[in-house]
Amino acid sequence: METTMELTRDNIQQVVELSNQQLVALVFWAAQMPESKTLLQTMEQLAAAFPGQLQLASVNCETQLELASYFQIRSLPTTLLLSQGQPIDGFAGVQSREQIQAMLQKHLPAAWELKLNDAKALLQQGDATAALPLLKDAYAEEATAAVALPYAEACLTSGDLAMAKTLLATIKLADQDGYYSSLMSQLDLAEKAADTPEIRALQQALEASPADVEVLQKLATALHLAHRDEEALALLFTPLSHDLNIGDGAVKQQLLTLLSALGQGNALAGQYRRKLYSLLY
């Protein structure tokens, strides 16, 4: 949609419906009033600075008297902000760009909201990988259930069960709605699926022979493949904290390989990198 629309009787319903999705600024102006054209230019610049967040609709009161009357405009220029189909703010006359921007900032979505909305769209498209960094950033700014729940969904889809479990544990009783219950059920199923007979057999073998490095490594690999990375990292790090060269360095190398597989942006990997560096240096 273009940055500036001309509001008419034919498209007013479209503009009102658009205000359910983003902020709409209506500027009532007239060509015979130079100051109103100046204001319109300022609003056009601001709308261009907030693409996808602010839609500008100009109302030429010389040709759209009926609309000016409908919105009860008493003087020109006048600016109204619409949200959810209703006027929520505005001003009469001309104001500076700084004054107008200050008013807009009260109603425009915060950075975390934009990231959250983009991430939700990606989740609906099935792209949890692309949604994860957006949700991580949004959660760092606004650690609420509104962000935590889709963040947990993205983690579940990506196989990061530990992070999903951590996020869901933060949800307060008042926010434990149907979405939360669905995610908890998905987590329960994922955890049960990750508890394979192979893992149980390796755990029993390691309990019987705690010094068997080969079994330890096989169990760490199995845990990683089951997306139980927190357990895999802890399993490898514990003996390394006592002997960095255990298994002739094979355990340390496996830990480094696992950290590399998890990636630089993974919080759990970052935690264990710091732990490993503290042992090395």
Side-chain angles (χ1 to χ4, degrees), residues 26-261:
L26 304 181
V27 179
F28 296 83
W29 68 289
Q32 63 184 353
M33 301 181 68
E35 63 271 28
S36 69
K37 294 183 70 174
T38 300
L39 173 65
L40 184 58
Q41 291 173 353
T42 300
M43 292 301 297
E44 287 173 341
Q45 294 169 1
L46 286 168
F50 297 102
Q53 301 178 56
L54 176 64
Q55 176 63 53
L56 181 62
S58 67
V59 188
N60 186 343
C61 293
E62 293 177 358
T63 59
Q64 302 295 332
L65 284 173
E66 186 178 346
L67 288 178
S69 176
Y70 175 79
F71 284 100
Q72 300 181 349
I73 303 304
R74 301 286 182 247
S75 63
L76 296 179
T78 291
T79 302
L80 294 179
L81 297 184
L82 291 187
S83 179
Q84 303 299 316
Q86 299 295 325
I88 57 169
D89 208 340
F91 60 90
V94 177
Q95 291 191 359
S96 69
R97 181 188 175 99
E98 292 71 26
Q99 288 174 309
I100 299 171
Q101 190 161 341
M103 178 191 69
L104 292 174
Q105 292 290 2
K106 294 188 295 183
H107 305 290
L108 288 169
W112 69 267
E113 292 179 284
L114 296 173
K115 292 172 184 174
L116 176 61
N117 291 336
D118 288 345
K120 284 182 174 179
L122 288 167
L123 284 176
Q124 288 181 341
Q125 296 166 19
D127 194 348
T129 301
L132 269 172
L134 294 173
L135 289 164
K136 181 181 178 181
D137 289 348
Y139 191 72
E141 297 175 41
E142 187 75 6
T144 61
V147 184
L149 289 171
Y151 189 6
E153 179 184 352
C155 289
L156 280 169
T157 303
S158 302
D160 190 348
L161 304 187
M163 189 61 191
K165 192 170 187 175
T166 298
L167 289 164
L168 290 172
T170 69
I171 306 301
K172 297 178 181 178
L173 185 61
D175 297 313
Q176 294 180 9
D177 55 9
Y179 186 20
Y180 166 84
S181 298
S182 173
L183 294 176
M184 286 296 293
S185 296
Q186 291 177 47
L187 176 62
D188 181 55
L189 290 172
E191 287 184 326
K192 288 177 179 176
D195 189 20
T196 65
E198 179 194 6
I199 289 175
R200 288 196 295 272
L202 287 168
Q203 286 171 331
Q204 291 170 2
L206 189 61
E207 287 175 8
S209 303
D212 192 327
V213 174
E214 185 179 352
V215 172
L216 180 142
Q217 289 185 274
K218 287 181 178 179
L219 176 55
T221 299
L223 288 169
H224 170 61
L225 293 174
H227 302 295
R228 293 166 63 175
D229 292 310
E230 187 167 11
E231 293 173 73
L233 289 169
L235 182 69
L236 293 169
F237 182 79
T238 299
L240 284 173
S241 63
H242 301 292
D243 180 5
L244 269 173
N245 293 313
I246 187 171
D248 293 327
V251 174
K252 180 174 67 177
Q253 185 56 51
Q254 185 174 3
L255 179 62
L256 289 170
T257 301
L258 180 50
L259 292 175
S260 178

